[in-house]
Amino acid sequence: MIEQILFIVISVCLFGLIFYLMIRKNETGYLYFLGIQALGIIIDAIRTYF
């Protein structure tokens, strides 16, 4: 259980970093990819709590 929560925290931090770097460089080609990543992180978090 702790490993899953740690994985979720790390993945959210990495997602935030990647999103920040993409916005900073004005690269909008990967926004769909980042949206799918965010959806996967949300689904994994919901599955962990239930």
Side-chain angles (χ1 to χ4, degrees), residues 1 4-6 8-9 12 41-50:
M1 181 75 170
Q4 290 177 343
I5 293 173
L6 184 63
I8 291 171
V9 169
V12 167
I41 292 170
I42 291 169
I43 290 171
D44 189 39
I46 290 172
R47 189 178 58 147
T48 301
Y49 290 124
F50 292 115

Side-chain angles (χ1 to χ4, degrees), residues 18-35:
I18 291 170
F19 187 74
Y20 172 73
L21 291 175
M22 291 286 186
I23 294 299
R24 190 170 151 208
K25 291 181 180 180
N26 271 342
E27 291 186 28
T28 58
Y30 293 104
L31 287 179
Y32 295 116
F33 177 68
L34 289 175

